């Protein structure tokens, strides 16, 4: 992802200025920007945060090189900058972060080194800041955080994510500045003094300086290093959350459903953001004289500027794959469990280990279309089947008797295993699972001679074929699901849209190779997982004038 994140400021002496910016470099560093991938001789080792090596160590410039760099820099000269519109001191080399995973570098300076990029950032800076008089905004300092991308579509899709993270950075900056302001007001109120000097060309004087720097307003000497960490994390996280995929042909139903779920989540996050904005509008107004702090104060225990790079790695899965689960449960128990999963019956796991239950659901859900999965990972009480078809419970949670006796539910109880029931040495991850014993029960046991749905037999054949790797089995499962989802689409259009008689439906099922009772039940359940996009497309086709014309 090619993007720049910048912090801008409206200086009352020099107008809108770029204070600090972080850009992504995929190519080698430009001349004068760094000394390579590793620290130089005598330099301390780099700190690592969230998979990114953080470093502020760049080779020092000689006086002649510094003068040459200043004359060739597209930014303003030293004489045109004051303390308020300067971030890094003269001769400061900037900050560099090395991403070991992608070999990408994140470089922070006051201005972009490339003239074209400097012009783009400069224009965005001017647009993001107004030019009102200081009295019209209550003696406040104006700052803005801007994100610039050349890919407009990517920027629009990343907007909700960027908005939330940038708001967190702003809240913390304002929280730090508010503490400094309140301490200064308590020691020496400045409103009367500033009113007397409001019409002089040097506003907000302090110790003879025409303007105060952001580090002075926040009393944080490590502010720019923390901002570099935050901006670098923001660029990496934003680039990792969305990836482009080459779709050869029409998207699968799982892809369509995932896109719809993502759109629903973003719409929900926007509604939450709007409600929070309304609450902030109702919040009490800060006292006059507060410099650049209009939003609510951030919590004291949060520190986005310093902690945003601390990524928590996910715990390793207990069940590695369907084949692994089949080895652990045994072939008969796994067949019973898989049959209930495919048919849409409620699958209940009872265990003390919530991670084990979550891992089991992550593996089992791969057998179903995305739209058919409704999970409650771990609950303190029983939930009805209409709410979820995967339910995790603690060992002491009571299940209603009618559920235990029902043929539409299966219960997997995880107990502490006795020594005689330990798993064989050939089982994967024996160390973590050998202490457990799994008991699969259902009100209606699946007969061993029962054929079951066709897809179940094909899944078992793939799992038992040791010549197929786990990755190949996963791809086989994707193909099987798409094959049966195509049959679901045909049946949906035939019965729900065209309203064909029952006799024709039976003929269609025979043609599809799904006339058996279990296959019919599976198709009806999987029909609930069709995407809204497909259903609306069919309905719009039926309602169109061309669809209503008589057939020849």
């Amino acid at each position: 992802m090619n993007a720049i994140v910048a912090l801008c400021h409206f200086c009352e002496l020099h107008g809108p200025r770029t204070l600090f910016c972080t850009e992504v470099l995929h190519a080698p560093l430009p001349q004068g920007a760094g000394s390579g991938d590793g620290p130089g001789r005598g330099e301390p080792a780099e700190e690592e945060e969230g998979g990114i090596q953080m470093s502020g160590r760049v080779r020092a410039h000689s006086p002649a090189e510094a003068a040459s760099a200043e004359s060739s820099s597209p930014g303003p000269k030293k004489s045109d900058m004051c303390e308020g519109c300067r971030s890094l001191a003269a001769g400061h080399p900037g900050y560099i972060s090395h991403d070991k995973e992608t070999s990408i570098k994140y470089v922070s300076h006051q201005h972009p080194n490339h003239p074209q990029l400097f012009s783009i950032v400069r224009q965005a800076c001017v647009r993001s800041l107004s030019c009102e008089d200081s009295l019209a905004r209550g003696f406040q300092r104006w700052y803005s955080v801007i994100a610039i991308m050349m890919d407009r579509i990517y920027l629009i899709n990343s907007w909700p994510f960027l908005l939330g993270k940038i708001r967190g950075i702003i809240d913390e900056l304002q929280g730090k500045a508010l503490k400094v302001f309140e301490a200064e007001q308590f020691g020496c109120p400045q409103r009367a003094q500033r009113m007397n000097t409001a019409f002089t060309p040097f506003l907000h004087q302090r110790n003879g300086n025409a303007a105060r720097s952001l580090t002075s307003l926040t009393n944080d000497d490590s502010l720019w290093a923390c901002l570099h960490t935050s901006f670098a994390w923001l660029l990496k996280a934003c680039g990792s959350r969305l990836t482009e995929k080459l779709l050869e042909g029409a998207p699968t139903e799982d892809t369509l459903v995932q896109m719809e779920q993502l759109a629903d989540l973003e719409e929900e996050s926007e509604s939450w953001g709007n409600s929070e904005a309304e609450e902030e509008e109702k919040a009490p107004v800060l006292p006059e004289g507060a410099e650049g702090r209009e939003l609510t104060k951030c919590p004291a225990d949060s520190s986005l500027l310093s902690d945003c790079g601390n990524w928590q790695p996910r715990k390793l899965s207990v069940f590695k794959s369907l084949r692994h689960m089949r080895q652990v449960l045994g072939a008969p128990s796994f067949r019973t469990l898989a049959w209930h999963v495919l048919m849409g019956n409620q699958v209940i796991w009872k265990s003390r280990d919530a991670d084990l239950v979550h891992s089991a659901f992550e593996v089992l859900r791969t057998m179903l279309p995305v739209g058919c999965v409704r999970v409650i990972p771990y609950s303190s009480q029983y939930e009805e089947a209409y709410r979820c078809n995967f339910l995790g419970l603690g060992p002491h949670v009571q299940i209603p008797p009618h559920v235990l006796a029902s043929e539409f539910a299966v219960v997997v109880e995880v107990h502490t295993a006795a020594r005689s029931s330990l798993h064989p040495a050939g089982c994967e991850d024996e160390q973590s699972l050998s202490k457990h014993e799994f008991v699969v029960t259902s009100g209606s046991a699946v007969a061993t001679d029962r054929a079951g749905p066709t897809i179940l037999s094909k899944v078992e054949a793939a799992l038992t074929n040791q010549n197929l790797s786990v990755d190949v089995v996963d791809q086989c499962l994707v193909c099987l699901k798409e094959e049966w989802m195509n049959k679901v689409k045909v049946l949906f259009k035939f019965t729900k849209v065209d309203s064909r008689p029952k006799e024709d439906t039976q003929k269609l099922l025979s043609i599809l190779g799904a006339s058996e009772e279990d296959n019919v039940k599976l198709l009806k359940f999987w029909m609930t997982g069709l995407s809204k996009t497909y259903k609306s497309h069919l309905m719009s086709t039926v309602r169109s004038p061309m669809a209503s014309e008589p057939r020849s």
Side-chain angles (χ1 to χ4, degrees):
M1 181 189 70
N2 296 320
I4 296 178
V5 180
L7 174 68
C8 306
H9 169 53
F10 181 79
C11 178
E12 295 173 355
L13 300 180
H14 303 100
R17 289 298 173 90
T18 304
L19 271 182
F20 194 77
C21 67
T22 303
E23 55 184 313
V24 181
L25 294 182
H26 299 268
L29 289 174
Q31 183 177 2
S35 59
D37 295 336
R41 182 180 301 176
E43 295 178 352
E46 297 173 335
E47 299 179 1
E48 182 176 344
E49 296 190 20
I52 305 179
Q53 287 184 341
M54 314 304 298
S55 174
R57 307 296 193 269
V58 190
R59 70 180 181 88
H61 297 286
S62 65
E65 289 177 333
S68 175
E70 181 184 357
S71 61
S72 60
S73 174
K77 308 302 179 183
K78 292 182 180 179
S79 57
D80 297 334
M81 294 193 299
C82 63
E83 183 181 353
C85 56
R86 180 189 296 117
S87 57
L88 305 180
H92 193 287
Y95 299 94
I96 300 177
S97 296
H98 305 268
D99 188 350
K100 298 184 298 183
E101 298 176 355
T102 59
S103 300
I104 293 177
K105 298 179 176 66
Y106 301 89
V107 183
S108 294
H109 290 288
Q110 177 154 359
H111 309 284
N113 290 327
H114 196 281
Q116 185 177 2
L117 291 179
F118 173 81
S119 176
I120 295 175
V121 174
R122 170 67 178 170
Q123 293 177 11
C125 171
V126 173
R127 292 184 178 184
S128 66
L129 296 168
S130 63
C131 300
E132 301 170 352
D133 185 74
S134 62
L135 289 178
R137 44 189 161 87
F139 297 104
Q140 295 178 347
R141 296 275 183 183
W142 278 106
Y143 294 87
S144 66
V145 179
I146 58 177
I148 303 173
M149 298 183 190
M150 301 307 294
D151 191 339
R152 183 179 303 177
I153 303 299
Y154 199 100
L155 179 59
I156 294 174
N157 291 329
S158 303
W159 171 247
F161 172 80
L162 291 173
L163 186 62
K165 301 306 178 183
I166 292 177
R167 171 58 63 88
I169 295 174
I170 293 174
D171 286 347
E172 186 162 358
L173 287 174
Q174 291 177 330
K176 291 182 177 181
L178 182 59
K179 292 180 181 179
V180 176
F181 170 76
E182 291 175 346
E184 292 178 349
Q185 284 291 94
F186 179 78
C188 179
Q190 302 176 10
R191 177 169 177 77
Q193 179 183 358
R194 292 181 177 181
M195 288 295 293
N196 294 331
T197 60
F199 298 99
T200 64
F202 301 101
L203 295 178
H204 310 306
Q205 296 186 4
R206 183 175 185 264
N207 297 330
N209 293 327
R212 296 177 61 178
S213 64
L214 186 57
T215 53
S216 174
L217 292 175
T218 58
N219 192 25
D220 187 359
D221 295 334
S222 61
L223 175 68
W224 304 117
C226 292
L227 274 179
H228 167 75
T229 304
S230 299
F231 287 172
W233 179 91
L234 184 64
L235 290 170
K236 177 179 174 63
C238 186
S240 302
R241 61 183 295 271
L242 297 177
T243 56
E244 294 181 346
K245 293 183 179 180
L246 178 61
L247 298 179
E248 298 181 355
T252 63
E253 278 298 299
D254 282 359
T255 303
L256 293 176
V257 173
Q258 288 172 347
M259 293 171 61
E260 292 172 355
Q261 293 176 350
L262 178 61
D264 293 339
L265 287 176
E266 292 182 350
E267 183 178 353
E268 182 178 355
S269 64
E270 289 180 1
S271 63
W272 276 103
N274 294 335
S275 62
E276 291 178 357
E278 293 176 358
E279 292 178 0
E280 290 175 357
E281 291 178 358
K282 299 176 182 178
V285 181
L286 295 176
E288 293 186 1
E291 296 186 353
R293 277 122 3 221
E294 296 175 343
L295 302 179
T296 57
K297 186 177 178 181
C298 64
D301 59 348
S302 65
S303 180
L304 288 176
L305 289 178
S306 57
D307 295 340
C308 63
N310 297 334
W311 293 349
Q312 297 295 332
R314 291 186 58 186
K315 293 185 178 180
L316 296 177
S317 299
V318 180
F319 292 102
K320 306 300 181 182
S321 62
L322 282 174
R323 177 178 288 171
H324 179 206
M325 179 177 288
R326 188 173 184 271
Q327 292 173 349
V328 173
L329 299 182
S333 296
F334 177 81
R335 178 179 174 82
T336 300
L337 181 61
W339 184 86
H340 283 279
V341 170
L342 292 171
M343 303 302 291
N345 298 335
Q346 190 174 39
V347 178
I348 304 173
W349 279 66
K350 297 185 66 175
S351 173
R352 296 180 182 273
D353 191 347
D355 292 332
L356 183 147
V357 175
H358 179 74
S359 175
F361 290 163
E362 287 296 311
V363 171
L364 291 173
R365 68 186 299 169
T366 59
M367 292 193 292
L368 292 178
V370 175
C372 294
V373 177
R374 304 183 309 279
V375 182
I376 297 181
Y378 208 73
S379 176
S380 59
Q381 63 182 6
Y382 172 76
E383 300 290 347
E384 295 293 340
Y386 72 88
R387 294 199 58 201
C388 60
N389 54 338
F390 291 101
L391 175 62
L393 298 176
H396 302 296
V397 178
Q398 296 295 326
I399 300 177
H402 72 275
V403 177
L404 295 175
S406 173
E407 61 177 326
F408 302 110
V410 61
V411 180
V412 181
E413 295 184 87
V414 184
H415 305 292
T416 302
R419 289 184 176 271
S420 59
S421 61
L422 294 181
H423 299 297
C427 176
E428 300 179 22
D429 202 20
E430 175 188 357
Q431 185 176 2
S432 61
L433 287 173
S434 60
K435 58 184 179 182
H436 297 301
E437 181 180 2
F438 301 88
V439 180
V440 181
T441 58
S442 176
S444 175
V446 180
T448 56
D449 58 346
R450 185 172 179 177
T454 305
I455 189 174
L456 175 59
S457 302
K458 293 185 177 180
V459 169
E460 286 187 311
L463 294 178
T464 55
N465 189 346
Q466 297 300 325
N467 294 325
L468 303 181
S469 65
V470 174
D471 293 335
V472 173
V473 172
D474 291 340
Q475 293 302 316
C476 290
L477 196 58
V478 172
C479 295
L480 287 174
K481 287 194 296 184
E482 192 62 20
E483 174 190 351
W484 281 83
M485 282 304 291
N486 289 332
K487 297 180 181 181
V488 169
K489 292 178 181 179
V490 174
L491 183 63
F492 177 82
K493 185 178 186 302
F494 201 81
T495 58
K496 305 297 183 181
V497 180
D498 297 341
S499 300
R500 298 295 183 91
K502 186 176 181 180
E503 294 77 11
D504 292 347
T505 303
Q506 292 297 330
K507 294 178 181 179
L508 174 66
L509 291 173
S510 300
I511 295 174
L512 294 177
S515 58
E516 295 80 4
E517 179 183 0
D518 286 344
N519 286 330
V520 174
K521 291 181 178 179
L522 182 142
L523 292 176
K524 290 182 178 180
F525 168 57
W526 284 29
M527 198 178 293
T528 61
L530 287 174
S531 63
K532 300 177 184 177
T533 304
Y534 178 77
K535 293 180 180 178
S536 60
H537 171 71
L538 285 183
M539 295 303 178
S540 61
T541 303
V542 171
R543 297 190 185 108
S544 63
M546 296 297 296
S548 61
E549 292 181 359
R551 299 177 182 176
S552 58

